[in-house]
Amino acid sequence: MDAGQNSVIMSATAKRAKTASGLWYKIKQQKVLLLLLLPGLIYFFIFSYVPMYGILVAFKKFRMQAGHPFWSSVFTAPWAGPFGLDYFKTFVNGPYFWMLLKNTFLLGVYSIVFGFPVPIIFALLLNELRNRYYKGFVQTVSYLPYFLSIVAVVGMMKLMLAPDSGIVNVLLTKLGFQQIYFFGLPGWFRTLFVGSHIWKDLGMGAVIYLAALSKVDPEQYESAVLDGATRIKQIWHITLPAIKPVVVITLILGLSHVVSVGAEKIILMYSPLTYDTADVFSTYVYRQGLVNMDFSFGAAVDLFNSVINIIFLVSSNYLARKISGESLW
């Protein structure tokens, strides 16, 4: 080995040692913050990573056995066909697959298309208000619905949209129109679901963008006014670029949940009359896994749904990085 190679090896070794010492120095400097982070890491490790062995349920003919612990029943259960894919094949080839995929995808897409821009527009309008007290009042009223439980929101909707006594149908009758059974018509379900979602999350969603707007230097607006820029041009060239990173990140996170519509609200809203437009992956998992006690089939459907979510997350992050230069990673 010549002197040049020795020099390169010694340089690389010194660089690694310097990096390790620098890392150790940072750990010692931030040990209090790392200790504060530790409970959260332990929580996610115990309740999110350790239970992941339960994914095996989707690939096995799992049956809960009396007197046996859950983990023992999982590992001793026989595999569901070659590679454990029988339940996935049954679901994909079953009569409900395309209906569930369509309903889940449409509810997710409608929530993004109609629900995503509304908090941004609302935040821009609030940012234009100059009366501090009126602005605070409007903002407070707008995010109060966020603190209502889903049960309360759906209960209010059913009272207001009741066929005979609901205020909406009473007004329709007085105006000469026929009553509408909103919760019994499949065509109204998506409108009610997305509309109530927008109303409930409008104010809290706007808080994120208002926080980003608070960091904009007021001198930029003053300079724009001196240059003759109108309010629309100020919003376009100053306000929107300031919240662009936040918009992109929230959009990526929203797209990652396009086919992950929660079951709680839908279970409260739907009925057999509206299954054609309301039944989604999560409600199907609830009926198969918990109501019918078919744990393996329910786990397979839920795992299939999770894989699609991961695909959407990675794809949206890649496209966002290519188009706007902003991404999660």
Side-chain angles (χ1 to χ4, degrees), residues 207-221:
V207 168
I208 301 173
Y209 304 108
L210 287 171
L213 289 173
S214 66
K215 298 180 180 180
V216 180
D217 189 354
E219 292 183 358
Q220 295 187 36
Y221 292 106

Side-chain angles (χ1 to χ4, degrees), residues 142-160:
S142 67
Y143 69 64
L144 282 177
Y146 180 81
F147 298 100
L148 295 176
S149 67
I150 296 177
V151 177
V153 172
V154 175
M156 291 167 59
M157 292 170 60
K158 289 187 175 181
L159 287 175
M160 296 176 66

